[in-house]
Amino acid sequence: MGKTFDQSLIDTATIPMSMIDPEDMEDKTSEEFIGMRRIQQGCHSELSNREDFPFAKYTKNIVFTKGQNLYQPIDGRITEIRIKNDNRIEKLKYYSDIALLDENKGKPQLFEVVYNPEKIKIYPTPDKSYNAVIEYNSTKNVILTDETLSYYISIGSTLKMPEKFQHLYFDALEYYVLATNMRKQSNPRWKPTFDIFEQKWNIFLRGCQPVESDTVFYI
């Protein structure tokens, strides 16, 4: 089991510049804990959506069926949709105003995500079945105590991320939570705290990104 978000708040309180009582973070019913959890949730939501992390990339196979232009949404942010057409792989382009286009049937060329209810909409409406692949970045990165995934932190929840990156992420998150809790940039402790966060965030980014250069072995 990985580190919990509850423990991360306690670790935040133990940072020398925090001036947060760790005992308040151990009491999950205290107003102090509830307030810090709210800050932690906001910071985590922001940081975990800043980048398209390689470990959060997934693909889903789907069939676009004849006459159907609405499909179930993805738990994440779509980066690309590809279809197979006559043994060729073609990418669909994102278009935000499909509803304004005249109704048409044919090979899908465009897509958008619509809401109320949330669906993936493609255009034109398929004239036959097309095999498609949806690439997306998963944004449900909180593991609840019952092992289900969520966007929201709760008591006992952990982070959905490869273990080798988790400590780097929590190190950065804790300083970001602390800096955010200081609120006013005029606070003399805010700037050094934020600077440490940026250093730790860059370490996390370097650690989780693939190496672009070729590896060379010298014998």
Side-chain angles (χ1 to χ4, degrees):
M1 178 180 177
K3 182 176 180 177
T4 65
F5 284 94
D6 302 339
Q7 181 61 50
S8 181
L9 280 183
I10 295 173
D11 291 345
T12 300
T14 60
I15 294 174
M17 292 181 288
S18 75
M19 298 190 69
I20 301 169
D21 189 345
E23 291 186 0
D24 289 336
M25 298 302 99
E26 293 175 1
D27 180 2
K28 299 177 179 59
T29 63
S30 68
E31 292 184 6
E32 291 80 7
F33 176 87
I34 294 171
M36 289 300 296
R37 171 51 51 84
R38 190 178 299 114
I39 293 173
Q40 184 189 47
Q41 176 69 67
C43 290
H44 170 65
S45 296
E46 179 193 339
L47 293 181
S48 61
N49 283 280
R50 277 191 178 186
E51 305 277 342
D52 292 336
F53 304 112
F55 54 77
K57 293 181 179 179
Y58 292 84
T59 60
K60 181 176 182 179
N61 295 320
I62 188 174
V63 176
F64 292 147
T65 58
K66 180 179 179 179
Q68 181 179 339
N69 66 353
L70 290 173
Y71 296 86
Q72 290 299 315
I74 296 294
D75 283 332
R77 185 172 57 256
I78 296 174
T79 56
E80 187 173 279
I81 298 180
R82 302 186 300 273
I83 62 170
K84 186 175 182 179
N85 180 47
D86 296 331
N87 294 321
R88 297 193 308 274
I89 304 300
E90 302 179 11
K91 296 180 182 179
L92 273 62
K93 294 182 179 179
Y94 179 79
Y95 188 79
S96 60
D97 292 312
I98 286 179
L100 300 179
L101 300 177
D102 294 334
E103 182 61 34
N104 199 359
K105 294 182 179 180
K107 179 190 67 178
Q109 299 177 2
L110 308 173
F111 81 94
E112 71 169 320
V113 178
V114 296
Y115 297 91
N116 300 318
E118 185 178 354
K119 297 284 184 179
I120 298 172
K121 188 171 186 177
I122 61 174
Y123 180 89
T125 301
D127 57 346
K128 63 179 183 178
S129 293
Y130 293 88
N131 292 321
V133 173
I134 300 176
E135 287 193 356
Y136 66 100
N137 286 289
S138 176
T139 51
K140 273 190 174 181
N141 48 35
V142 175
I143 305 176
L144 304 180
T145 53
D146 63 359
E147 299 298 322
T148 58
L149 297 179
S150 176
Y151 299 107
Y152 304 107
I153 301 168
S154 64
I155 301 300
S157 59
T158 56
L159 178 64
K160 181 179 180 290
M161 185 180 292
E163 288 188 12
K164 59 184 177 180
F165 305 135
Q166 286 190 20
H167 69 286
L168 298 177
Y169 179 81
F170 274 121
D171 282 350
L173 174 65
E174 287 153 13
Y175 273 88
Y176 195 46
V177 168
L178 186 57
T180 303
N181 185 54
M182 291 176 180
R183 291 183 176 86
K184 296 181 179 180
Q185 296 188 17
S186 58
N187 186 323
R189 293 177 291 118
W190 179 86
K191 183 64 165 58
T193 302
F194 189 80
D195 287 346
I196 294 174
F197 153 69
E198 288 194 313
Q199 294 169 9
K200 291 182 176 294
W201 181 248
N202 287 329
I203 290 172
F204 165 71
L205 292 180
R206 289 197 300 270
C208 69
Q209 296 293 339
V211 178
E212 295 182 357
S213 59
D214 294 333
T215 299
V216 179
F217 292 93
Y218 295 95
I219 300 177

